[in-house]
Amino acid sequence: MPTIRLQLAALLALLVPSVSVSHAEVIDDILGSLSKGASFLERQHEHINLDGVVGFLMLQAELKEAVQTWPHTDPVSWAQRTSVVALVKRIDQSLSKAVPALQQNDPNYYREFEPLLSWSFWSMPHEWSSTDPSLVYSSTRVTECYDEQLSDKCLTLLLGTWKINGTPCIVTKPCRDTMTRFGCPHYSLSHQLMYFMIGTMKGCSNMLKGDMRASRTNMTEQSYQKIFCSNMMKSNLDMIKDGLPEHMLDIFIENILVCGLAGFSDFYKADWLQHILRLQDEEVGCFGRDKNIISQIIGDELLEQLQPHRRVKRREKILPDGCSSHMTAVAVGALGGYLKYYLAEQDITKRPLS
């Protein structure tokens, strides 16, 4: 018996370092990718749109928390922490230029979403949970439930930016009904989740006050978040089964970003991380680059100069080098979430709740 115990102990001693080494290697891959993303931001800080800036601000919040809560002090891990500190400094410098550029390029839109344009707004999850397949809708709409304009209006009512010195945390019946509607797909679903996340981060309580539907009596903001992410998990799994079509890549990554930020650790799958890393353009560091449309972009840039008051679409902006501002934003934010998750995995006191 003692011999068997010694053999088991020796086997464990071999296995444990291999686990931590593999985590260290994955963290190296994430940090390498984020460094390229930071280089992209340094070059394009004057051109990325609101979503692009918000994605990097989410990343900054993730990185700053990672620095503060770094779980290990061994040389390899501490060297990685030093890399993160340098990365934070680089991104801070670029964001200090990107945010004023955003204000100058689209002052009205900037004012409506100014509360989101600080890394300190974005709070991180401090415990993990998992999605529940039993919460998946029996049927889902094929088309989106609502447009971006309605989503924006509901968010400004939460943020208090619907007018100058507006009251925050206003939840109208149309907004509540829309944001709690079941069966929505893709971006509608993602934005329903973001609505509750942003309301919570803003400090809005009783967002569901006034909902008199008997079927929703015991529902909480957290209940909705779990329902939405459970359906976003199903959506992502379906995309993988379909071979992850190119036109679905953006929403696939956005789902990982927002549900990870909501604390659902089962979105941080190792093979999904590899899908994200492979999408990065080695030359310029962005995600979702289409070199075939660069000439088309030059024409669009000229049109913007001729029509300076034309509204810049928040969700997407293809940059002069063919990069997707939105996909780059959600990718770097998702990678920051993966970093935080892998660090928590190394720290046994922060393992996901069963």
Side-chain angles (χ1 to χ4, degrees):
M1 286 296 289
T3 305
I4 294 173
R5 278 200 295 268
L6 284 171
Q7 289 173 339
L8 283 172
L11 181 62
L12 284 170
L14 288 170
L15 287 174
V16 171
S18 70
V19 172
S20 62
V21 166
S22 68
H23 273 183
E25 289 172 349
V26 172
I27 289 172
D28 273 342
D29 290 343
I30 293 170
L31 293 180
S33 177
L34 288 175
S35 181
K36 293 174 193 170
S39 297
F40 167 76
L41 180 64
E42 286 165 349
R43 290 191 305 273
Q44 294 285 4
H45 62 264
E46 292 184 356
H47 303 293
I48 63 173
N49 63 357
L50 188 129
D51 271 4
V53 172
V54 167
F56 276 97
L57 286 163
M58 288 177 172
L59 169 63
Q60 197 69 324
E62 292 163 334
L63 294 179
K64 289 187 185 230
E65 172 144 323
V67 168
Q68 290 179 345
T69 60
W70 204 270
H72 296 296
T73 56
D74 61 274
V76 171
S77 186
W78 206 248
Q80 291 176 329
R81 183 185 182 276
T82 302
S83 297
V84 175
V85 171
L87 194 57
V88 166
K89 186 175 180 181
R90 288 174 62 194
I91 296 173
D92 265 341
Q93 290 173 344
S94 294
L95 287 172
S96 69
K97 301 170 186 173
V99 173
L102 198 62
Q103 183 177 17
Q104 183 174 358
N105 294 338
D106 199 343
N108 290 334
Y109 224 34
Y110 172 90
R111 184 186 62 78
E112 288 179 341
F113 292 97
E114 186 176 4
L116 308 184
L117 298 174
S118 168
W119 68 266
S120 59
F121 180 87
W122 301 99
S123 58
M124 299 294 109
H126 292 288
E127 59 181 30
W128 298 112
S129 58
S130 297
T131 57
D132 182 352
S134 72
L135 298 175
V136 171
Y137 303 139
S138 57
S139 63
T140 304
R141 282 173 56 107
V142 176
T143 57
E144 300 288 353
C145 288
Y146 54 92
D147 60 21
E148 192 175 275
Q149 282 67 38
L150 176 60
S151 174
D152 288 352
K153 179 63 177 176
C154 293
L155 285 175
T156 60
L157 288 168
L158 278 188
L159 295 170
T161 55
W162 53 281
K163 70 172 187 176
I164 302 296
N165 297 323
T167 303
C169 299
I170 294 175
V171 179
T172 62
K173 186 178 186 300
C175 286
R176 185 180 64 243
D177 289 350
T178 299
M179 295 304 173
T180 59
R181 181 176 179 179
F182 292 155
C184 294
H186 308 316
Y187 290 105
S188 298
L189 185 56
S190 169
H191 282 218
Q192 285 177 311
L193 173 65
M194 285 295 293
Y195 178 79
F196 282 101
M197 289 173 64
I198 287 172
T200 300
M201 292 177 191
K202 179 66 178 174
C204 303
S205 57
N206 298 322
M207 290 176 67
L208 300 170
K209 184 179 180 182
D211 191 342
M212 307 304 290
R213 290 171 290 183
S215 60
R216 308 288 180 97
T217 302
N218 297 318
M219 295 289 287
T220 65
E221 287 88 345
Q222 288 69 35
S223 304
Y224 280 107
Q225 290 190 33
K226 187 155 191 168
I227 290 170
F228 296 150
C229 281
S230 296
N231 282 277
M232 291 156 83
M233 172 60 73
K234 173 67 162 57
S235 178
N236 271 25
L237 291 171
D238 287 345
M239 290 180 223
I240 291 290
K241 283 180 186 175
D242 292 340
L244 197 52
E246 187 174 345
H247 70 282
M248 301 302 289
L249 287 169
D250 186 88
I251 187 60
F252 176 82
I253 302 172
E254 179 168 317
N255 287 348
I256 297 171
L257 165 63
V258 292
C259 285
L261 198 60
F264 293 94
S265 62
D266 48 338
F267 277 81
Y268 293 129
K269 299 186 188 302
D271 58 325
W272 292 5
L273 171 62
Q274 295 308 312
H275 281 300
I276 297 173
L277 292 173
R278 282 195 292 268
L279 285 169
Q280 187 166 35
D281 184 90
E282 291 294 320
E283 181 185 355
V284 297
C286 71
F287 295 78
R289 188 184 190 198
D290 186 349
K291 296 178 183 177
N292 296 323
I293 61 172
I294 293 176
S295 58
Q296 175 189 327
I297 301 309
I298 294 170
D300 288 346
E301 290 291 313
L302 287 171
L303 184 61
E304 279 197 14
Q305 291 172 20
L306 293 170
Q307 299 177 344
H309 300 297
R310 191 176 64 154
R311 187 180 184 196
V312 179
K313 190 171 186 285
R314 174 174 63 82
R315 171 155 307 141
E316 184 55 298
K317 183 180 183 182
I318 305 298
L319 299 168
D321 53 11
C323 289
S324 162
S325 185
H326 187 268
M327 192 184 294
T328 300
V330 293
V332 297
L335 289 174
Y338 268 102
L339 174 65
K340 188 176 185 306
Y341 171 69
Y342 277 108
L343 290 174
E345 277 288 279
Q346 289 182 346
D347 183 354
I348 198 166
T349 65
K350 295 179 181 175
R351 289 287 170 87
L353 299 173
S354 58

